């Protein structure tokens, strides 16, 4: 495998761009091929079987782009389909759940950790499982926040409606006395300030996107797969593919990532 | 074609059930096969090409169920793909846009008509086109309300958040002095009372679901395709298929339709 080969990153839509942003910051030499399944978003209300089938199609597409490693930048995919993806990929695969769980387990002082995410991620109890492997005494409280994804996709990032919905979703977590809260959906870092305001200063927010990029860096170092060459920005270093609505995607992506996304290509993912 | 063959009805998800409910009320002898594309919902933010491809797959599935007519119970599909569906189907096809446009054109007194719907439906300006064919002097004001579908799917039917979002979306329509408002998305009849409260008593709400069922009845009469036999409820008269999450669908469907939906079957629509 060529070290200058790109990293494949995918998500149900635009949320995974928060992971891309962290990879760009932490390992700026790496090339990235991103796929956002904008035609079939959201994943968080879909069944395990459907999410797995979609993820395997995406892995087959990314493999065709000769990626050297794959990041499943979606909590629902990481919760439901990581084993299947690893089987399909036969190159290193990283999800977002394990890195987030590890940091939360290290961060908490009172051993009370909250997790917010989609219905699928929370229902799978996967964060609970990983956290308890590290710290069996930890208490993990999950809360599904299904409207957050729609509110982010509508751009209501600093808005009284988002505040009101956040207060409803988070009130039980505030009452429970957690000191650490995992943002268990890659859309949520975009409303981090709202969540932080509602939870108050005593609660540390964990962003798995940041931790995932760190873990990716470590993995590439260990496997001697880091890209030593530096690239000029804009020279095909970052490529973006979606299953629908490329223009809408570009607009949104440019508001998250500051490198200027020149183009995104629409593909028919059902063919893979 | 056998007159006792079922009517095929489809939507991106659960919204089309408001049309099913009207068909059950107005033509109770008819059998129905419903398909909700719950794996790929929502359609309202997708491109014309994607919505057309999905719709053709669904028509092929419904044809395999030997339906005698098809109702595209989704405004986005009716706006983007009706011609293509008619080509694929070669049996009578009805959308929801034309019936809604006709009634609105007949209802308005001041010739100012509002339409609310998905971004796709509003962007296509299809209601404007149909209304102006009937009444060239009419002024048609469209407003996309993208969050309404998510709010309905989350069950916030009578909720201060939905009120707040409705006030934002509808304020420009109130100011414009319309006397008639088309609920141009099959989810919206479920928040009819919120929309009515915000718009005030001077504005008549048009529900295309009701008008579509009337038009279907008329069509079946004209073509001598009405089902003369009455069925006992529950004896396979109504069959429901989805592309994902059958249990979630059944729960929601039973809150909309009072006949008791015994079961729904998940199929892989990508195979059609």
């Amino acid at each position: 495998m060529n070290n200058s080969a790109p990293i494949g990153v995918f998500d149900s839509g635009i949320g995974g761009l928060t992971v891309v942003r962290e990879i760009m910051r932490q390992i700026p030499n790496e090339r990235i091929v991103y796929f956002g399944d904008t035609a079939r978003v959201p994943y968080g209300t879909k069944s395990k079987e459907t999410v797995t089938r979609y993820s395997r199609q995406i892995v087959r597409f990314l493999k065709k782009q000769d990626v050297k490693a794959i990041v499943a930048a979606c909590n629902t995919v990481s919760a439901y389909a990581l084993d299947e993806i690893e089987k399909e990929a036969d190159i290193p695969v990283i999800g977002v759940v394990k890195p987030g769980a590890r940091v939360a387990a290290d961060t908490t002082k009172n051993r009370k950790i909250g997790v917010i995410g989609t219905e699928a991620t929370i229902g799978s109890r996967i964060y609970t499982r990983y956290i308890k492997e590290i710290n069996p005494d930890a208490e993990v409280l999950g809360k599904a926040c299904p409207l957050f994804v729609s509110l982010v996709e509508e751009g209501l990032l600093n808005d009284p409606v988002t505040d009101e919905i956040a207060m409803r979703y988070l009130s039980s977590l505030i009452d429970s006395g957690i000191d650490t809260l995992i943002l268990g959906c890659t859309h949520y870092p975009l409303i981090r300030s709202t969540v932080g305001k509602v939870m108050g200063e005593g609660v540390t927010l964990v962003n798995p996107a940041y931790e995932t990029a760190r873990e990716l860096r470590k993995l590439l170092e260990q496997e001697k797969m880091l890209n030593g060459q530096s690239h000029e920005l804009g020279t095909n270093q970052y490529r973006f593919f979606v299953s629908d609505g490329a223009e809408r995607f570009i607009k949104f992506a440019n508001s998250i990532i500051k490198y200027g996304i020149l183009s995104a290509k629409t593909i028919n993912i059902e063919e893979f």
Side-chain angles (χ1 to χ4, degrees), chain A:
Chain A
M1 180 61 72
N2 187 341
N3 280 12
S4 68
I7 311 290
V9 183
F10 75 96
D11 178 43
S12 61
I14 53 122
L17 292 170
T18 62
V19 178
V20 167
R21 179 169 66 179
E22 290 300 333
I23 296 172
M24 288 171 166
R25 282 177 186 156
Q26 296 185 33
I27 356 180
N29 279 359
E30 297 300 328
R31 294 165 63 205
I32 295 171
V33 174
Y34 183 84
F35 176 76
D37 199 357
T38 46
R40 302 187 294 195
V41 71
Y43 279 11
T45 49
K46 294 180 175 45
S47 67
K48 182 168 182 167
E49 290 65 38
T50 298
V51 170
T52 303
R53 192 171 74 242
Y54 289 179
S55 299
R56 293 181 63 203
Q57 288 173 333
I58 296 168
V59 167
R60 289 195 286 268
F61 165 74
L62 290 173
K63 290 272 291 181
K64 289 230 160 125
Q65 310 302 313
D66 291 324
V67 299
K68 64 181 175 184
I70 289 176
V71 179
C74 171
N75 282 268
T76 302
V77 170
S78 304
Y80 274 167
L82 211 57
D83 293 348
E84 288 295 321
I85 292 173
E86 281 174 346
K87 263 185 246 166
E88 186 79 46
D90 74 38
I91 52 174
V93 172
I94 286 183
V96 287
V97 170
K98 248 187 201 164
R102 196 175 305 131
V103 174
D106 289 348
T107 302
T108 183
K109 294 200 168 65
N110 71 2
R111 292 188 301 243
K112 285 188 177 177
I113 299 169
V115 186
I116 53 176
T118 63
E119 287 171 75
T121 301
I122 299 306
S124 75
R125 298 177 58 82
I126 189 158
Y127 274 103
T128 310
R129 188 146 40 93
Y130 284 141
I131 290 169
K132 282 185 176 288
E133 276 175 18
I134 303 164
N135 187 342
D137 295 335
E139 191 183 337
V140 183
L141 296 140
K143 176 73 189 170
C145 304
L147 273 175
F148 276 172
V149 168
S150 310
L151 293 167
V152 167
E153 300 245 348
E154 280 312 306
L156 304 188
L157 304 185
N158 285 296
D159 192 286
V161 165
T162 307
D163 292 352
E164 163 65 24
I165 293 286
M167 277 187 274
R168 288 191 203 181
Y169 283 152
L170 303 175
S171 64
S172 62
L173 291 175
I174 295 170
D175 295 345
S176 68
I178 57 166
D179 70 354
T180 304
L181 178 63
I182 301 171
L183 304 175
C185 169
T186 49
H187 280 77
Y188 296 177
L190 301 170
I191 49 167
R192 187 190 180 114
S193 65
T194 300
V195 173
K197 193 169 60 183
V198 171
M199 292 308 297
E201 282 188 3
V203 177
T204 305
L205 302 187
V206 172
N207 177 2
Y210 180 82
E211 309 304 335
T212 302
R214 271 174 58 106
E215 178 140 326
L216 175 64
R217 189 200 171 97
K218 242 188 289 174
L219 174 87
L220 296 177
E221 277 170 0
Q222 277 167 8
E223 306 283 328
K224 303 201 187 314
M225 287 166 70
L226 272 174
N227 190 357
Q229 303 168 333
S230 78
H231 301 266
E232 284 180 34
L233 287 180
T235 58
N236 215 20
Q237 187 179 0
Y238 305 128
R239 285 187 298 148
F240 296 87
F241 296 87
V242 290
S243 46
D244 198 16
E247 288 197 15
R248 187 188 165 94
F249 175 85
I250 291 166
K251 211 172 127 192
F252 205 106
N254 280 320
S255 75
I256 299 176
I257 296 173
K258 303 303 178 195
Y259 290 82
I261 289 168
L262 302 173
S263 67
K265 202 176 158 197
T266 303
I267 59 158
N268 182 358
I269 192 66
E270 290 174 22
E271 286 174 359
F272 289 87

